[in-house]
Amino acid sequence: MQVTVDTASLAQELNEDYIVSPEAIAFYQKNGYVKLKHVLSPEVLRHYGDVITKLVIKLNTLTKSMEERTTYERAFLQIMNLWREDETAREFVFSRRLAKIGADLMGVDGVRLYHDQALYKEPSGGFTPWHADQFYWPLSSPKTVTVWIPLQDTPMEMGPLAFAEQSQGVEIGRNIEISDESERLLAEELANQNFNINDTPFELGEVSYHAGWTFHRAGPNTSSTPRKVMTMIYMDKDQTISKPQNTYQEADWTTWLGSYPVGSKPESELNPLLFSRAE
Ligand SMILES: O=C(O)CCC(=O)C(=O)O
């Protein structure tokens, strides 16, 4: 039997409003992350997930064995800016629904895309060390947020994303790149300072949003199937570019911001406006 997919209604779902409750907004503002259920349907996740998986397989260049890889390389296959590779992936990344949730949580009038990335933790893939993303980004305000979208149910053995609650405001380990050292130092410091850790499974359709300075990690994938995840990083549309503070920020400035002038809003074609209340 041939199953026909109504792609127009899937695309429509990606653009419909999701009502973010005041409690969810308050939770995000306080804790630096929130997990939201029933954000995307199984049909949308299957349809766009299949396209994203094909792109990951096509574009992946990391073919070393697990034993030969660094800790970072063991954590996941990382394929960036899929929206520039494929029209269907672009439709997903440009989801107004997902972008508006980001704006609602941050309490801003609109969001631009910083970049997207697929993060596929392979079976036997390692843990993702504790880190905060904004260490890598030459952006002046903390109003940045990543939506983390598992493309399947994600039980503990697959390595769901875990968050240190309320860690977005503390200045510990902000100058550490993602590494064995960040894992060791931050695990110790977060435990010393009694941060509550949310490390729980994700059901299909559930997604998380975490702020750029919130510390997060993920366990290894000990299951026999890949942990497939798509992410988009949004920034407040009034965000401005800051002078790069490290070599990673230098590289990000060139790659994801098109070397747009420091001090200006990131308005190059690389950073499309995905949601604006003015429209
Ligand atoms: O998927 C992972 O294991 C890590 C994800 C992450 O660090 C992020 O999306 O900022």
Side-chain angles (χ1 to χ4, degrees), residues 11-16 48 52 81-100 111-116 147 149 230-232 234 268-276:
Q12 190 187 334
E13 180 185 319
L14 284 177
N15 291 319
E16 279 166 5
Y48 291 96
I52 291 165
N81 262 4
L82 298 183
W83 72 274
R84 290 168 68 84
E85 302 290 336
D86 178 275
E87 202 44 48
T88 307
R90 183 182 191 279
E91 219 167 75
F92 187 81
V93 171
F94 277 45
S95 163
R96 184 183 178 280
R97 179 181 181 84
L98 295 171
K100 179 174 183 298
V111 293
R112 290 183 176 282
L113 181 68
Y114 184 52
H115 65 76
D116 69 53
V147 59
I149 309 156
M230 184 61 180
T231 66
M232 278 86 85
Y234 308 113
S268 91
E269 50 146 23
L270 282 175
N271 306 113
L273 188 63
L274 298 188
F275 169 73
S276 170

Side-chain angles (χ1 to χ4, degrees), residues 4 23-24 47 95 104 118 126 149-150 163 186 210-211 237 246 254 270:
T4 51
E23 292 76 24
H47 176 66
S95 163
D104 289 348
I149 309 156
F163 310 91
L186 287 166
H210 65 269
K237 76 175 178 53
N246 56 45
T254 312
L270 282 175

Side-chain angles (χ1 to χ4, degrees), residues 75-76 117 119-121 126-129 131 133 137 146-148 159-161 178 210 216-219 227 229 231 233:
F76 38 64
Q117 53 186 353
L119 298 171
Y120 277 39
K121 202 181 274 295
F127 65 95
T128 309
H131 67 283
D133 302 326
W137 304 339
T146 300
V147 59
W148 195 85
L161 201 59
I178 184 168
H210 65 269
H216 53 285
R217 84 182 289 278
R227 187 215 67 180
V229 167
T231 66
I233 303 162

Side-chain angles (χ1 to χ4, degrees), residues 17-219:
D17 280 6
Y18 173 95
I19 306 300
V20 189
S21 69
E23 292 76 24
I25 295 174
F27 187 95
Y28 174 83
Q29 295 278 341
K30 180 175 177 202
N31 294 296
Y33 81 98
V34 69
K35 293 177 74 167
L36 302 170
K37 291 183 196 258
H38 308 300
V39 174
L40 296 173
S41 69
E43 293 75 23
V44 159
L45 290 167
R46 188 175 322 111
H47 176 66
Y48 291 96
D50 284 352
V51 171
I52 291 165
T53 298
K54 285 195 183 106
L55 286 169
V56 169
I57 293 167
K58 180 173 143 198
L59 300 170
N60 176 49
T61 54
L62 181 56
T63 51
K64 285 188 269 183
S65 71
M66 281 294 168
E67 293 70 40
E68 289 173 299
R69 295 186 197 179
T70 64
T71 297
Y72 190 93
E73 289 171 330
R74 276 197 287 271
F76 38 64
L77 306 179
Q78 181 178 26
I79 313 292
M80 333 272 266
N81 262 4
L82 298 183
W83 72 274
R84 290 168 68 84
E85 302 290 336
D86 178 275
E87 202 44 48
T88 307
R90 183 182 191 279
E91 219 167 75
F92 187 81
V93 171
F94 277 45
S95 163
R96 184 183 178 280
R97 179 181 181 84
L98 295 171
K100 179 174 183 298
I101 298 173
D104 289 348
L105 293 172
M106 289 194 287
V108 299
D109 286 337
V111 293
R112 290 183 176 282
L113 181 68
Y114 184 52
H115 65 76
D116 69 53
Q117 53 186 353
L119 298 171
Y120 277 39
K121 202 181 274 295
E122 297 157 275
S124 81
F127 65 95
T128 309
W130 280 113
H131 67 283
D133 302 326
Q134 205 149 335
F135 163 75
Y136 292 92
W137 304 339
L139 299 172
S140 53
S141 115
K143 291 199 172 172
T144 55
V145 66
T146 300
V147 59
W148 195 85
I149 309 156
L151 301 170
Q152 70 291 301
D153 270 318
T154 307
M156 294 313 291
E157 60 269 25
M158 275 191 172
L161 201 59
F163 310 91
E165 298 190 336
Q166 300 183 33
S167 61
Q168 74 277 19
V170 292
E171 303 236 345
I172 50 168
R174 283 195 172 190
N175 55 354
I176 312 176
E177 68 194 87
I178 184 168
S179 58
D180 286 326
E181 195 197 1
S182 74
E183 173 73 5
R184 190 166 35 78
L185 287 177
L186 287 166
E188 198 178 295
E189 200 52 34
L190 292 166
N192 282 345
Q193 297 195 25
N194 289 321
F195 280 96
N196 194 42
I197 310 299
N198 176 308
D199 192 4
T200 50
F202 283 64
E203 62 186 49
L204 193 66
E206 185 171 10
V207 307
S208 63
Y209 284 76
H210 65 269
W213 283 115
T214 301
F215 289 104
H216 53 285
R217 84 182 289 278

